[in-house]
Amino acid sequence: MSTARGRPTDGLPGPAQWHRVLTLLADVSLFIGTRSLWSQAATRDLFLVAVVSLCYVSILTGGVLALTVRRTRSLARVDLMVLLTAVTLTACAWWLNHAGGDEAVLTAQAARELVAGHPVYGQPWPWLFHGPNVALTPTIDGGYDFTYGYPPLAPLLAAPLLWVGGGGAPATAAATIALVAGAVLLWRLLPVPWRSAATMACLGFGFLPGYARSGYPAIPAMVLLIPVVVGWPRIGRGGRLGTPGIARAVCLGAACATQQLPWFVAPFLLAGIHAVRRGELGGRAATAVCARILGIAATTWLLVNTYFIAHEPGPWLDGVALPLTQGAVLHGQGLVDVSLYFTHGSDHLDWYGHASALLAAALLALYVLFVRRLGPAATVLPWCAFYVATRSQDGYYLMMTPLWLAAAVSVPLSDFANAWQPRPRWLRGPRRRPALAGAAALLVLPALMSAVLAATGRPPLRMDVTAARRATAHSLSGLSLRVTNSGDTALTPHYMLTTSHGMSRYWSLTRGPATIAAHSTASVELRAPSGRFTLPAAAGSKLRLRAFTGDPQTLSTRDLRPADLGRGKTPEQ
């Protein structure tokens, strides 16, 4: 007979209620995006319509079972069913949308060049950027980045899949396979009651499968970090790495050889391991453990890169450092929005980059100083620095969220109870708390000052539209501007019109000076890219005229009204 609490008749305890809720939430997360997937399949592939419809049955059945099964083992089977449903939906979505974006076409092209024995780095491929979903990356000096700018493991993973199709399909296939493998791996590594959280974080909600279908190399990099992050404070326990520790160090090196984001989390993990091992074994043994981890990771990274170092050392070095050096225009969901949308520009854009670097260093120092409190946050803290960077896209945070989950489940705060924290004499004694607070403030202050300097900068150029030449009633062919440089430095601006949060192509200068002297005014004429710029049709749409300069880095913006573009005639008039 069953108990009053609803336990099964054999006397074994049933699943915890929070386990049921977690399974249900993972099941519910699969609804997101499934209707649009079904709608798309209905116009292209009836077989996929049937598959997605069966997935709906699985989601509904999983919801019922999550609330009604009476055994923990039975609920674990429901977790597995939810995972398999998520994998099926991810595969269907890739089948319908596998062309990818700019990341995918660049990675796939790099794989093709590698297979053909051609150089991979430093090679511009402008013809790749004519597709409807392939975005350009404008640089602040008026150019575009057409080259591959990531470490080489992603093209190596895509090379065996070139048979899949043209465009970015090989890269999107590699990233999607990696994501599915990562979801299964994290599901397997986590304790049974938490496994549905892995399904939800990796495949639910639709955002990570979307990044995989766009071919982002950060997806396989994140997957390689999963085995590193799960229970990471226990790496090197007792002073020995063992086979699991060696495998984790290899994965860390491979992740760093796939994309640059792991470069930012690796110092935090190594600092945390050193602190925990030093608290357990002492300074010399802890340093030896970290040195072995770093040596294995560096060797792995070097092995992946050896071919490229030998055949194209200069372009390879420029390529793997490109995201840090390319000078891409401002974009993202961070502090740069102040200059992009609220203050109409800044003459101190460089300081966003300085603030990001200073904040990353400050966060690492704070992590070492307060590791007993901040220890589990090693997988989250590095991304805070990107909030003040010139490229502060939310993808930098989103694509690493499975690592947040892995740490939350497998890295409790108690693992750091005896971790070593540096405490020089001036940080000890009865006034240690004010001293620690002051040290923390001093560490963050340079980054804060740099961010304030960047955000409070003023746009150095004033731009007034004097004439607008229309190609049609709803498009422009050119603009005439009166540009005033109010700064103390001669500037060489590069102009563009934008209609949304993103950037567009630069307009070419057809008449007028390229460089505008300090405290002077000039008239310039601009030609639209490809001869035509389509005006937004929706009422109330924002149209912004932007001018970037590369040296010094500045941004000036002018919000345009319909009256500003009413001057001039169409060719038919």
Side-chain angles (χ1 to χ4, degrees):
M1 57 185 293
S2 62
T3 65
R5 293 179 179 238
R7 294 181 177 180
T9 56
D10 57 8
L12 295 175
Q17 192 65 20
W18 65 265
H19 185 185
R20 294 184 186 275
V21 172
L22 193 59
T23 302
L24 186 65
L25 288 174
D27 194 57
V28 169
S29 73
L30 303 187
F31 278 123
I32 299 176
T34 302
R35 180 179 179 181
S36 60
L37 177 63
W38 179 90
S39 300
Q40 188 179 10
T43 62
R44 295 175 55 182
D45 195 321
L46 293 181
F47 173 75
L48 290 185
V49 170
V51 173
V52 175
S53 297
L54 289 176
C55 287
Y56 271 114
V57 174
S58 178
I59 294 171
L60 293 170
T61 304
V64 173
L65 295 177
L67 299 176
T68 58
V69 295
R70 303 177 64 190
R71 300 175 186 272
T72 300
R73 182 177 296 178
S74 299
L75 189 55
R77 293 193 180 106
V78 177
D79 291 334
L80 178 59
M81 182 179 75
V82 173
L83 174 65
L84 294 176
T85 305
V87 170
T88 303
L89 289 172
T90 300
C92 291
W94 177 85
W95 186 261
L96 291 173
N97 304 282
H98 54 259
D102 53 320
E103 307 273 350
V105 296
L106 279 171
T107 303
Q109 184 65 27
R112 294 186 182 97
E113 299 292 336
L114 176 64
V115 170
H118 300 156
V120 169
Y121 291 101
Q123 306 300 312
W125 302 314
W127 63 87
L128 298 176
F129 294 84
H130 297 303
N133 298 317
V134 182
L136 283 167
T137 300
T139 56
I140 204 164
D141 60 0
Y144 306 94
D145 191 356
F146 298 121
T147 62
Y148 188 72
Y150 299 106
L153 187 55
L156 289 171
L157 294 175
L161 299 173
L162 291 178
W163 58 270
V164 169
T172 63
T176 301
I177 292 170
L179 180 63
V180 170
V184 173
L185 177 63
L186 184 57
W187 190 92
R188 184 67 182 84
L189 290 176
L190 293 184
V192 171
W194 292 103
R195 286 177 171 174
S196 277
T199 303
M200 188 163 34
C202 292
L203 303 178
F205 307 121
F207 56 81
L208 281 189
Y211 278 108
R213 292 195 301 275
S214 294
Y216 277 75
I219 293 294
M222 179 275 295
V223 171
L224 286 165
L225 286 175
I226 287 175
V228 181
V229 167
V230 174
W232 64 265
R234 295 179 282 282
I235 298 175
R237 177 180 287 176
R240 298 185 59 187
L241 289 182
T243 302
I246 294 173
R248 289 178 168 190
V250 169
C251 287
L252 179 61
C256 291
T258 307
Q259 212 257 2
Q260 289 86 354
L261 286 179
W263 297 2
F264 296 89
V265 73
F268 286 81
L269 295 176
L270 290 171
I273 292 170
H274 180 269
V276 173
R277 297 285 76 82
R278 183 164 179 171
E280 174 197 6
L281 306 170
R284 181 175 297 180
T287 301
V289 168
C290 289
R292 289 198 294 272
I293 296 172
L294 185 59
I296 295 170
T299 301
T300 303
W301 182 88
L302 188 61
L303 287 174
V304 174
N305 286 274
T306 297
Y307 172 84
F308 304 92
I309 295 173
H311 286 80
E312 40 184 318
W316 164 83
L317 183 60
D318 292 338
V320 297
L322 188 62
L324 307 177
T325 62
Q326 69 185 166
V329 297
L330 276 66
H331 181 62
Q333 295 75 42
L335 191 66
V336 295
D337 288 351
V338 174
S339 297
L340 278 171
Y341 305 112
F342 297 103
T343 64
H344 294 90
S346 172
D347 53 355
H348 294 129
L349 295 185
D350 309 65
W351 288 94
Y352 282 116
H354 301 333
S356 180
L358 290 169
L359 183 56
L363 290 172
L364 181 58
L366 287 172
Y367 183 77
V368 173
L369 198 60
F370 300 102
V371 70
R372 292 181 185 176
R373 177 61 61 88
L374 298 177
T379 56
V380 183
L381 277 175
W383 319 123
C384 297
F386 285 95
Y387 190 79
V388 298
T390 54
R391 305 285 287 184
S392 57
Q393 300 173 106
D394 62 356
Y396 297 146
Y397 325 133
L398 290 178
M399 287 187 283
M400 297 293 139
T401 48
L403 305 181
W404 303 11
L405 170 67
V409 175
S410 64
V411 183
L413 193 59
S414 58
D415 283 355
F416 300 87
N418 299 315
W420 172 79
Q421 296 183 138
R423 290 293 182 268
R425 181 175 299 178
W426 61 280
L427 290 179
R428 292 179 290 180
R431 297 183 180 275
R432 63 183 180 277
R433 289 189 177 181
L436 287 169
L442 286 174
L443 287 170
V444 177
L445 185 60
L448 178 62
M449 293 178 63
S450 299
V452 170
L453 182 61
T456 57
R458 301 178 62 184
L461 299 177
R462 173 181 173 85
M463 298 172 289
D464 297 302
V465 177
T466 58
R469 292 175 294 282
R470 292 182 177 267
T472 66
H474 302 289
S475 65
L476 297 176
S477 62
L479 286 174
S480 295
L481 307 177
R482 184 173 61 250
V483 184
T484 301
N485 179 3
S486 60
D488 298 326
T489 305
L491 298 175
T492 304
H494 309 280
Y495 309 90
M496 67 169 64
L497 279 181
T498 63
T499 58
S500 66
H501 65 276
M503 296 297 163
S504 61
R505 295 172 61 188
Y506 285 112
W507 290 47
S508 56
L509 181 67
T510 59
R511 182 176 299 176
T515 300
I516 302 175
H519 305 290
S520 68
T521 299
S523 296
V524 299
E525 293 186 7
L526 307 177
R527 180 179 181 273
S530 301
R532 177 177 299 185
F533 180 88
T534 303
L535 296 172
S541 297
K542 288 284 187 180
L543 185 63
R544 295 183 175 94
L545 173 63
R546 300 193 188 276
F548 289 97
T549 68
D551 186 20
Q553 292 188 5
T554 72
L555 166 64
S556 303
T557 302
R558 172 70 184 267
D559 287 338
L560 300 181
R561 300 166 298 175
D564 294 321
L565 304 177
R567 310 180 184 99
K569 299 180 178 181
T570 65
E572 291 78 11
Q573 295 173 316

